[in-house]
Amino acid sequence: MTPEPNVLDRLLEISELFQRDLAREFAGTSLSAARTRVLWDLAHEGPSTQQALARRLEVSPRNITGLVDALEAAGYVARAPHPTDRRAVLVSLTPSAARLMREMQRDHEELSQTLLDAVAPSDREAFVRGAEAIAARLGELVAAAETGRATAHRTAEGEPA
């Protein structure tokens, strides 16, 4: 007998569906989920150094360099000298990428509303509160696990915890 799906099963199903939809959306383009994350960040935060991008996206400097190189080659971003730090370079969206990101934001808002329309109007506020609470709790659990892993790693190397 197969157990009834629980909340985690449903969240994993939703995550998988989002991944499939994203893959379908970007099929045949030079965009990937990781590259789109860089564009999304630049659209919301504005021009940035690669170091700041790497920190915000929690990737290595080497990883962000590869992502920015690919986005620049495809015409999505441009690099320019930093106005106050001659050692740094600013990465910014090209005009066509800025338009694409505005379209993506519009699509994002439309999909959000379409998904919320599946919930009875009287349940929507509770659903949104529940989704926010679950996201916050998962964030706490992940942060605690990362802190524990870092502490265990330091202890294994002989450093004080």
Side-chain angles (χ1 to χ4, degrees):
M1 186 163 114
T2 305
E4 286 293 313
N6 61 32
V7 171
L8 182 58
D9 294 325
R10 291 297 183 210
L11 292 171
L12 292 170
E13 179 183 2
I14 290 167
S15 176
E16 175 63 27
L17 288 167
F18 276 126
Q19 293 301 316
R20 285 175 42 198
D21 188 51
L22 189 63
R24 178 200 50 77
E25 184 70 28
F26 296 127
T29 74
S30 62
L31 292 176
S32 64
R35 290 176 187 175
T36 303
R37 245 180 106 208
V38 173
L39 296 177
W40 193 260
D41 183 88
L42 290 170
H44 289 86
E45 299 297 325
S48 179
T49 64
Q50 288 184 190
Q51 182 180 18
L53 272 171
R55 189 173 45 257
R56 284 195 306 270
L57 299 177
E58 298 179 341
V59 299
S60 69
R62 182 177 182 174
N63 189 315
I64 204 69
T65 298
L67 290 167
V68 171
D69 286 348
L71 289 166
E72 184 177 41
Y76 291 105
V77 300
R79 288 178 169 116
H82 192 284
T84 59
D85 182 351
R86 61 189 182 120
R87 297 169 297 160
V89 172
L90 280 181
V91 179
S92 59
L93 295 175
T94 61
S96 62
R99 279 190 302 279
L100 174 67
M101 296 314 297
R102 284 192 299 276
E103 288 174 26
M104 196 177 292
Q105 180 65 43
R106 218 174 17 259
D107 292 347
H108 186 89
E109 290 167 7
E110 287 174 11
L111 179 57
S112 181
Q113 188 58 55
T114 298
L115 294 174
L116 199 54
D117 286 346
V119 177
S122 59
D123 294 336
R124 288 181 188 162
E125 280 188 41
F127 172 78
V128 170
R129 281 193 315 272
E132 289 171 351
I134 288 171
R137 179 57 168 221
L138 183 56
E140 293 167 0
L141 294 171
V142 169
E146 290 172 345
T147 299
R149 185 177 48 216
T151 300
H153 180 71
R154 285 193 307 270
T155 303
E157 291 183 349
E159 295 178 30

